[in-house]
Amino acid sequence: QLAYPHRVIILKAMETVVRNNIDLLDKSTAKDVIWEWQQAASNVLVAVGQRFINKVMEEVLTKFQPGILPHYFVLQTFANLSVSNGE
């Protein structure tokens, strides 16, 4: 577990990388399953969810749309959140 300030630094660094490379991103980047970075992003959400489960669940649940199959990593994140926060 990282201390709160370290988590903030890492998340801000991730945001900076995305913002600085935004022109390189296209629609396929968001849709394709690229295991390494999507697993890392999922793990970040699960880790944050151990402290702020309601907010993370709220965000993940917005990815479930009627009649549309959710992305593989949305389902995996949802499952891992439930396992990591089970009592």
Side-chain angles (χ1 to χ4, degrees):
Q1 295 263 354
L2 290 175
Y4 175 78
H6 294 123
R7 285 184 269 170
V8 172
I9 290 168
I10 290 171
L11 289 170
K12 285 184 177 183
M14 291 169 60
E15 177 187 6
T16 300
V17 168
V18 170
R19 286 185 187 279
N20 290 341
N21 294 284
I22 199 73
D23 292 334
L24 302 174
L25 300 177
D26 60 17
K27 194 173 183 177
S28 66
T29 304
K31 288 194 163 197
D32 291 343
V33 175
I34 302 170
W35 191 89
E36 291 86 4
W37 76 265
Q38 289 178 331
Q39 182 65 60
S42 175
N43 291 344
V44 167
L45 287 172
V46 172
V48 171
Q50 290 178 332
R51 174 92 165 110
F52 303 104
I53 187 62
N54 289 340
K55 186 63 179 164
V56 173
M57 286 297 292
E58 211 174 279
E59 290 299 320
V60 172
L61 287 172
T62 66
K63 303 303 177 191
F64 288 91
Q65 301 296 322
I68 299 173
L69 184 65
H71 191 279
Y72 168 83
F73 275 99
V74 171
L75 293 174
Q76 184 179 30
T77 302
F78 190 70
N80 289 339
L81 279 166
S82 67
V83 170
S84 72
N85 286 286
E87 295 186 69

